Amino acid sequence: MKQKLLFLFAILVLFVGCSSNEESSTNNEEGITSIEELSIGFVPSRDPDEIITATEPLKELLKEELLALDYDVGEVDITVGTNFEAVGEALSAGTTDIGLIPGGTFVLYDDGAEVILTATRAGLSIDSDDAKDWNDNKPTEPTDEQTNYYRALIIGGPSEKGQELAEKVDNGDGLTWEDIDSATWAVMSSSSPAGYIYPALWLREHYDHTITDLDNVVQTDSYGNAFARLASGQIDLLVTYADARRDNEENWTEDFERSESIWEETNVIGVTPGIYNDTISVSRNSDIMDDNLKAALQQAFINIAETEDGKEVIEIYNHEGYIEAESSDYDNEREAQKLVQSLE
């Protein structure tokens, strides 16, 4: 009786093993890997609702491209982080698989995030280190040239102080630390290259001070929020990426109810060196991420950026295409981060 039971148990194990192997073999023969859900986190460099609406088509576009690359994705979940760090933390924790994040955020969380792509974008009609050049030649227009970097600008608004500082710049008088410190600033979170890191370096280079030395600083959760504050006169200066005024041109008169255009009411008082473009990064701690999936994601996003529908989606971040990236591409960003941290 005992021998019969052992024999039946052996047959059962063999049957289960064969069934499992047969199922695995079927999957391998088909060459398709099934993924129940793929999650993507976006940083709030634009209004979160605007980002969610604009990126909705990405779900199907990505599923289609990945299916052609032998990945069958059931659902693509898109979220916008409450701030830049929230997306970096989610990548590090493995709760988000993919993040569209700036270089500064990537290097801050590169122990848990891995860069796979760098965005390219249209160059601008102005690319000068001199703030007055930006004011003399506005409005800023896009060009056909693709670039892998952008600049951050310190922009003065319609408030009395904002206009006073801009007038000094345009007259060639230069600004003192007292001028700078007398204004109310809006900045982004400390991992934002254009919204914090490079402006902090600009302050260090020109005044031997940094953002933490300013008497009046407001941290905002999005650039849209910062421009709304600038339009209302709540702040005098904001720091942002160079083509942000183009992105907020309609909002300035329609949503923020200004009677004059953003180009007439704002001026540049400071310009930072070039900043390496945004990344598409993946989580090192995601349960589904491996080298094959990373390669598929690289190709999928490159392909999407070459389609008309895809161009409309990535335009929300002023991306026009993607190129493969390596972590070492962002070594200058790491140095910037170290310097900022040493100044705090």
Side-chain angles (χ1 to χ4, degrees):
M1 185 61 161
K2 184 176 180 180
Q3 289 179 335
K4 287 183 179 180
L5 287 173
L6 288 172
F7 176 77
L8 289 172
F9 178 75
I11 293 294
L12 180 61
V13 168
L14 181 62
F15 176 77
V16 171
C18 289
S19 298
S20 298
N21 289 336
E22 184 177 355
E23 183 178 354
S24 176
S25 176
T26 301
N27 288 339
N28 288 336
E29 287 174 5
E30 292 176 356
I32 302 294
T33 300
S34 296
I35 297 175
E36 186 176 339
E37 181 180 277
L38 195 63
S39 57
I40 307 177
F42 287 80
V43 295
S45 56
R46 299 281 289 271
D47 179 78
D49 290 338
E50 188 179 356
I51 294 173
I52 289 293
T53 300
T55 58
E56 177 66 25
L58 178 62
K59 297 178 180 179
E60 289 304 317
L61 291 172
L62 188 56
K63 287 169 65 174
E64 290 173 9
E65 289 293 338
L66 286 174
L67 185 58
L69 295 165
D70 298 332
Y71 282 90
D72 183 11
V73 178
E75 181 180 352
V76 175
D77 179 56
I78 292 177
T79 58
V80 179
T82 53
N83 52 40
F84 288 48
E85 286 87 350
V87 182
E89 289 168 3
L91 288 170
S92 290
T95 54
T96 292
D97 303 310
I98 306 165
L100 274 78
I101 57 178
T105 308
F106 159 64
V107 300
L108 192 63
Y109 293 95
D110 62 1
D111 57 337
E114 179 180 354
V115 62
I116 61 170
L117 294 169
T118 293
T120 63
R121 64 174 72 203
L124 295 175
S125 56
I126 310 169
D127 186 25
S128 171
D129 295 317
D130 189 344
K132 189 175 185 300
D133 288 341
W134 292 78
N135 299 333
D136 290 344
N137 297 289
K138 60 184 180 182
T140 309
E141 301 290 352
T143 68
D144 293 333
E145 181 183 358
Q146 290 288 297
T147 67
N148 61 1
Y149 74 92
Y150 63 103
R151 294 178 183 270
L153 302 178
I154 297 92
I155 295 175
S159 69
E160 183 178 350
K161 178 60 67 173
Q163 293 294 304
E164 173 194 327
L165 299 185
E167 185 177 355
K168 285 190 174 185
V169 168
D170 288 343
N171 289 338
D173 295 336
L175 299 176
T176 66
W177 170 251
E178 288 69 26
D179 290 328
I180 292 293
D181 195 36
S182 65
T184 300
W185 289 59
V187 302
M188 299 293 287
S189 58
S190 60
S191 73
S192 169
Y196 194 99
I197 297 170
Y198 280 77
L201 294 175
W202 179 85
L203 285 170
R204 178 65 172 175
E205 179 183 350
H206 289 84
Y207 303 104
D208 201 27
H209 289 284
T210 187
I211 287 174
T212 54
D213 297 319
L214 294 167
D215 284 339
N216 303 294
V217 178
V218 176
Q219 183 174 313
T220 60
D221 57 4
S222 71
Y223 287 117
N225 186 316
F227 272 100
R229 289 172 181 252
L230 192 72
S232 68
Q234 295 178 39
I235 59 170
D236 306 307
L237 304 176
L238 63 74
V239 295
T240 188
Y241 55 97
D243 43 358
R245 286 184 293 178
R246 293 182 57 244
D247 291 340
N248 286 276
E249 189 170 1
E250 289 185 9
N251 293 339
W252 191 261
T253 52
E254 294 178 8
D255 296 340
F256 308 153
E257 300 180 345
R258 300 296 303 181
S259 57
E260 304 294 334
S261 78
I262 195 170
W263 303 106
E264 293 174 283
E265 293 200 299
T266 66
N267 291 282
V268 177
I269 71 156
V271 185
T272 76
I275 307 167
Y276 215 72
N277 278 351
D278 294 345
T279 79
I280 294 182
S281 296
V282 297
S283 172
R284 296 182 185 274
N285 298 312
S286 164
D287 291 337
I288 62 172
M289 198 61 60
D290 58 23
D291 288 342
N292 290 333
L293 179 55
K294 281 183 274 188
L297 287 169
Q298 283 178 318
Q299 191 60 55
F301 275 103
I302 289 172
N303 292 348
I304 287 170
E306 293 175 350
T307 69
E308 290 304 314
D309 289 341
K311 288 181 186 297
E312 288 185 16
V313 170
I314 65 176
E315 187 180 11
I316 189 70
Y317 278 170
N318 297 309
H319 297 177
E320 297 201 355
Y322 298 103
I323 56 175
E324 292 187 16
E326 296 182 2
S327 181
S328 59
D329 294 337
Y330 291 87
D331 283 347
N332 286 340
E333 198 72 50
R334 291 184 175 88
E335 293 304 313
Q337 286 274 10
K338 289 177 184 177
L339 181 55
V340 169
Q341 290 168 9
S342 72
L343 297 173
E344 292 178 349

